[in-house]
């Protein structure tokens, strides 16, 4: 008998979700994917990602909003061995414009996922947190040991509350939960509302490139392949966890800060065009820099990011030119 694991993956038509789901499907495991396919950004891009997953016979898709309580029943019927929860409203700017989206999906939706895991006997919940939880932190390098109490955006606050909610469910119902604080994930099939996509499109179409805080910012940019490998290792490696060990949080970054200006120069190089920069003031809710301490990830899983930002940008630009044509 071909034994397979059963997964629920939320946000499967999303950037990280699609890549993770595809790798799990390749291994022959069964995936039930959820996504609302909302118009927060191009539904065309989401549907194209979904087309990739639909090629696999072991994939089934539910167009569904996780803030709907009925998802708990779907969990109970399907009985996943594991859940990878990546559905969320992401991004700082949108959370200022439409705060209710973030409460409905990121808080109420997360509660439904926790309840689904609880009532279906799911063994492990891996979920997306964010580097935004660090907020107003004086430390140059963000470490999981730091106490986070000062998120700068509602998005960051919603992700911080996810971690607290997961902790309580791990404690109360002995569900193993692993929260992943992603640091600026980029790469092929990436979101059009993120810096790399916006910058590349502006330079390619010779439009003004919006640069906040005159570009005096830096980010720990993490390439999608490195993110997926981290998730898969955490997912597949058996770690005997007892007591406090069933609740874990990891930074998922590259552990290297890149200046935004250097990032733009690299895009210019790959496109063979110069950017027309339009300097703008600092964006509300944004942080000036982010840099991940990734020693815990290495200690527990021997994970080391492989893709440099120069190679990552090249891979993205190649994909972008192909996709936009």
């Amino acid at each position: 008998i071909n034994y397979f694991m059963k997964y629920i993956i939320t946000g499967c038509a999303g950037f990280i979700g699609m890549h993770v789901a595809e790798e799990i499907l390749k291994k022959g495991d069964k995936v039930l994917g959820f996504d609302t396919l909302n118009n927060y950004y191009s539904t065309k891009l989401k549907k194209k990602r979904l087309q990739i997953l639909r090629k696999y016979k072991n994939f089934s898709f539910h167009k569904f909003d996780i803030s709907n309580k009925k998802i708990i029943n779907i969990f109970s019927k399907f009985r996943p061995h594991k859940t990878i929860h990546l559905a969320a409203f992401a991004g700082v700017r949108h959370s200022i414009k439409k705060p209710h989206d973030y409460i409905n999906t990121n808080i109420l939706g997360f509660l439904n996922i926790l309840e689904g895991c609880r009532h279906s006997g799911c063994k492990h919940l891996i979920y997306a947190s964010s580097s935004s939880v660090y907020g107003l932190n004086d430390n140059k390098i963000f470490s999981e040991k730091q106490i986070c109490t000062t998120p700068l955006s509602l998005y960051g606050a919603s992700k911080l509350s996810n971690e607290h909610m997961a902790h309580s469910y791990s404690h109360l119902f002995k569900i193993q939960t692993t929260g992943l604080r992603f640091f600026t994930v980029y790469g092929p099939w990436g979101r059009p509302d993120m810096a790399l996509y916006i910058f590349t499109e502006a330079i390619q179409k010779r439009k003004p490139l919006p640069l906040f805080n005159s570009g005096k910012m830096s980010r720990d940019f993490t390439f999608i392949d490195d993110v997926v490998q981290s998730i898969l290792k955490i997912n597949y490696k058996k770690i005997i966890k007892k007591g406090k060990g069933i609740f874990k949080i990891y930074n998922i970054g590259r552990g290297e800060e890149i200046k935004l200006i250097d990032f733009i120069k690299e895009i210019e190089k790959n496109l063979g065009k110069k950017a027309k920069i339009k300097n703008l003031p600092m964006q509300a809710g944004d942080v000036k820099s982010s840099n991940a301490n990734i020693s815990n990830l290495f200690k527990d899983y021997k994970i080391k990011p492989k893709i440099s930002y120069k190679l990552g940008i090249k891979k993205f630009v190649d994909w972008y030119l192909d996709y936009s044509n």
Side-chain angles (χ1 to χ4, degrees):
I1 298 165
N2 244 350
Y3 182 71
F4 58 79
M5 299 280 280
K6 292 200 297 186
Y7 286 84
I8 281 179
I9 299 180
T10 69
C12 64
F15 172 34
I16 301 175
M18 180 271 275
H19 283 93
V20 171
E22 187 174 25
E23 289 308 311
I24 287 175
L25 289 164
K26 279 179 190 168
K27 292 188 188 304
D29 290 328
K30 194 170 183 175
V31 172
L32 173 58
F34 287 100
D35 208 292
T36 54
L37 300 175
N38 63 36
N39 59 3
Y40 167 49
Y41 63 81
S42 162
T43 51
K44 184 185 145 208
L45 182 62
K46 293 179 186 183
K47 285 172 182 165
K48 288 254 183 199
R49 294 186 191 128
L50 204 51
Q51 269 175 7
I52 292 169
L53 301 181
R54 286 190 192 273
K55 289 176 192 159
Y56 295 88
K57 297 224 170 15
N58 44 335
F59 175 71
S60 52
F61 176 66
H62 248 330
K63 185 173 186 281
F64 201 84
D65 189 334
I66 60 164
S67 65
N68 182 337
K69 215 172 153 182
K70 284 183 184 152
I71 197 168
I72 301 166
N73 302 334
I74 301 171
F75 263 83
S76 296
K77 275 193 190 125
F78 185 70
R79 299 189 73 78
H81 297 99
K82 296 183 177 184
T83 298
I84 300 175
H85 173 53
L86 300 165
F89 267 98
V92 168
R93 278 154 219 165
H94 188 74
S95 73
I96 295 168
K97 284 188 222 141
K98 295 207 165 172
H100 290 85
D101 289 351
Y102 287 72
I103 300 302
N104 287 334
T105 301
N106 299 10
I107 308 268
L108 194 58
F110 191 63
L111 174 64
N112 290 337
I113 298 299
L114 288 168
E115 279 289 290
C117 290
R118 174 191 169 190
H119 292 293
S120 64
C122 177
K123 296 276 179 283
H124 189 184
L125 168 65
I126 296 171
Y127 64 95
S129 184
S130 165
S131 60
S132 296
V133 302
Y134 288 107
L136 266 181
N137 232 298
D138 296 333
N139 303 58
K140 271 301 277 172
I141 298 179
F142 300 157
S143 150
E144 301 95 338
K145 287 192 200 83
Q146 286 159 231
I147 294 168
C148 301
T149 53
T150 52
L152 289 179
S153 64
L154 186 68
Y155 169 59
S158 74
K159 286 301 177 185
L160 193 54
S161 66
N162 286 175
E163 295 180 1
H164 293 315
M165 291 160 81
H167 185 273
S168 68
Y169 269 67
S170 286
H171 174 72
L172 290 168
F173 307 112
K174 307 293 173 267
I175 300 165
Q176 187 179 330
T177 63
T178 308
L180 309 176
R181 292 175 177 169
F182 296 128
F183 281 72
T184 318
V185 184
Y186 73 102
W189 295 100
R191 291 196 345 245
D193 62 318
M194 291 192 75
L196 178 56
Y197 204 115
I198 293 167
F199 293 170
T200 304
E201 194 150 70
I203 297 169
Q204 177 63 7
K205 294 181 176 173
R206 302 192 185 278
K207 288 179 175 169
L209 182 154
L211 194 57
F212 293 103
N213 201 36
S214 309
K216 295 191 196 84
M217 288 157 86
S218 57
R219 289 286 180 270
D220 192 335
F221 289 99
T222 321
F223 191 66
I224 184 65
D225 294 9
D226 287 329
V227 171
V228 173
Q229 285 316 308
S230 299
I231 295 172
L232 293 179
K233 274 209 169 166
I234 289 167
N235 175 48
Y236 287 114
K237 186 177 173 188
K238 263 204 160 40
I239 287 187
I240 304 301
K241 294 185 173 181
K242 293 182 182 126
K244 280 186 181 167
I246 65 168
F247 168 81
K248 286 278 188 189
I249 285 175
Y250 293 101
N251 284 340
I252 306 288
R254 188 171 156 73
E256 171 188 34
E257 239 179 306
I258 305 297
K259 290 191 176 82
L260 226 46
I261 291 296
D262 294 338
F263 205 67
I264 291 166
K265 278 181 190 157
E266 207 54 40
I267 302 168
E268 288 177 327
K269 201 171 89 183
N270 278 278
L271 286 172
K273 293 178 183 178
K274 288 303 259 182
K276 295 178 184 171
I277 287 175
K278 181 188 177 187
N279 284 311
L280 295 167
M282 186 74 176
Q283 171 79 20
D286 246 350
V287 291
K288 279 187 182 162
S289 69
S290 70
N291 193 352
N293 175 335
I294 49 174
S295 58
N296 282 346
L297 199 60
F298 183 74
K299 191 179 85 202
D300 288 357
Y301 294 99
K302 300 292 173 275
I303 292 168
K304 260 191 180 159
K306 296 183 178 75
I307 310 283
S308 71
Y309 83 96
K310 291 185 175 181
L311 177 58
I313 288 172
K314 186 192 180 311
K315 283 173 180 271
F316 174 80
V317 170
D318 289 349
W319 169 81
Y320 171 83
L321 292 173
D322 184 50
Y323 177 75
S324 56
N325 285 332

